[in-house]
Amino acid sequence: MSDTLVTAEIQQSEIERMTRIVNTVVAKLDKQAENIIRQGMIWAVQSAARETAPGRAASPSKLADKFKYRPITRYRGSLNRYAYEVNGKTRVWETERRLSKKSLEKSNKRRLTREIELWSKAAHALVKIPYTGAQTSGKYDKTSRIGRIPHAGAGKACWLKALGRLPGGKPDPASEAAAAPRPHVQVAKSEGEIRMIVENTVRYVDITSPGAAARATTSAANRMAKYYSKLIPELEKEINRI
């Protein structure tokens, strides 16, 4: 049938089940395989978007604050951190010494007591760095650039953007407007075979939402089976045979 979604651990049995559904529907209803595969892929992409955190929000613009802003927490390290300005840029100095209020005023330094969590492309993980904003601010900094998560909801939006790139697909307005990377969508046809491939280019989805693609494949297969069983009474027997 196809290689679906992002690289993920999808059970071969689910792929085979989807293939049997397509083959049965094509044979019994005399429908074109491409149309059946396209519908299955649409359902799979929709399911993947729901399974991708924070995919349960209506659209990226309506996400909760925890998905739009980086959390600011209290620094609990052993070193003392101080911020100072050099040529208009904020620098951070760490030392074992605790500077007095008088020393801070004299050196134009200020003590840092908080840190902010962000995604490191180099480490491929979340890391915490000194937060140099107002130390009295709340859980989120909604005014500065560092406080905002860029492309919030990108994983979800990237999936949904694929809907408009499948053959005959309808674009999702909210996702098309989101500043998210574009998905890779391919349709390959060869003798006796049609392949539709959708790849989510937001690389961290496998960490933030492990198993999303696998669950989406199962969900799409279930939807196809339920829909076409109304038209083909023997469908369940056909697709469950070994």
Side-chain angles (χ1 to χ4, degrees):
M1 175 195 167
S2 64
D3 293 331
T4 60
L5 313 177
V6 74
T7 301
E9 295 296 329
I10 301 176
Q11 292 186 354
Q12 183 61 30
S13 60
E14 289 299 317
I15 299 297
E16 293 173 354
R17 183 171 179 241
M18 290 278 278
T19 301
R20 289 197 294 271
I21 293 173
V22 172
N23 291 340
T24 302
V25 172
V26 170
K28 298 291 184 179
L29 300 182
D30 194 28
K31 289 182 175 290
Q32 290 187 348
E34 182 176 356
N35 294 334
I36 307 303
I37 294 173
R38 181 180 66 243
Q39 183 60 63
M41 182 63 79
I42 289 173
W43 283 339
V45 169
Q46 290 172 338
S47 296
R50 286 193 297 271
E51 292 288 345
T52 300
R56 298 189 185 281
S59 70
S61 63
K62 298 180 181 179
L63 298 176
D65 282 351
K66 65 180 180 179
F67 296 123
K68 294 190 292 185
Y69 304 102
R70 294 171 171 143
I72 302 172
T73 58
R74 179 164 295 279
Y75 169 62
R76 301 187 182 281
S78 59
L79 295 176
N80 293 288
R81 289 173 168 176
Y82 300 95
Y84 60 98
E85 305 297 320
V86 176
N87 298 326
K89 294 184 178 180
T90 302
R91 306 292 186 185
V92 176
W93 177 49
E94 294 184 337
T95 177
E96 295 181 355
R97 292 190 298 117
R98 176 72 177 270
L99 300 184
S100 65
K101 184 177 180 180
K102 185 176 181 179
S103 296
L104 290 176
E105 293 176 351
K106 186 177 180 179
S107 60
N108 290 323
K109 291 184 175 65
R110 53 192 174 90
R111 188 164 181 261
L112 302 179
T113 60
R114 311 182 77 191
E115 56 189 10
I116 189 167
E117 189 177 63
L118 52 78
W119 179 264
S120 169
K121 290 183 179 180
H124 200 59
L126 290 171
V127 299
K128 292 184 177 181
I129 65 171
Y131 175 64
T132 59
Q135 298 299 294
T136 57
S137 62
K139 185 177 180 180
Y140 303 109
D141 179 352
K142 299 183 179 181
T143 59
S144 71
R145 181 178 179 182
I146 194 173
R148 295 190 297 272
I149 298 175
H151 313 315
K156 171 189 171 70
C158 191
W159 283 128
L160 294 179
K161 278 188 176 183
L163 295 178
R165 291 165 171 73
L166 289 169
K170 295 181 179 180
D172 178 80
S175 300
E176 287 294 330
R182 294 183 178 181
H184 291 157
V185 178
Q186 295 180 333
V187 179
K189 300 179 182 180
S190 59
E191 187 175 350
E193 182 175 313
I194 300 174
R195 291 160 56 92
M196 292 187 187
I197 304 171
V198 176
E199 181 185 7
N200 193 321
T201 55
V202 180
R203 298 303 180 188
Y204 57 73
V205 294
D206 59 332
I207 294 177
T208 60
S209 306
R215 291 192 296 273
T217 302
T218 299
S219 176
N222 291 340
R223 288 185 67 179
M224 291 179 71
K226 182 178 180 180
Y227 178 82
Y228 286 109
S229 63
K230 298 176 183 178
L231 305 175
I232 308 174
E234 66 274 23
L235 180 61
E236 283 294 336
K237 181 179 178 180
E238 289 288 332
I239 64 178
N240 290 325
R241 63 181 175 81
I242 299 176

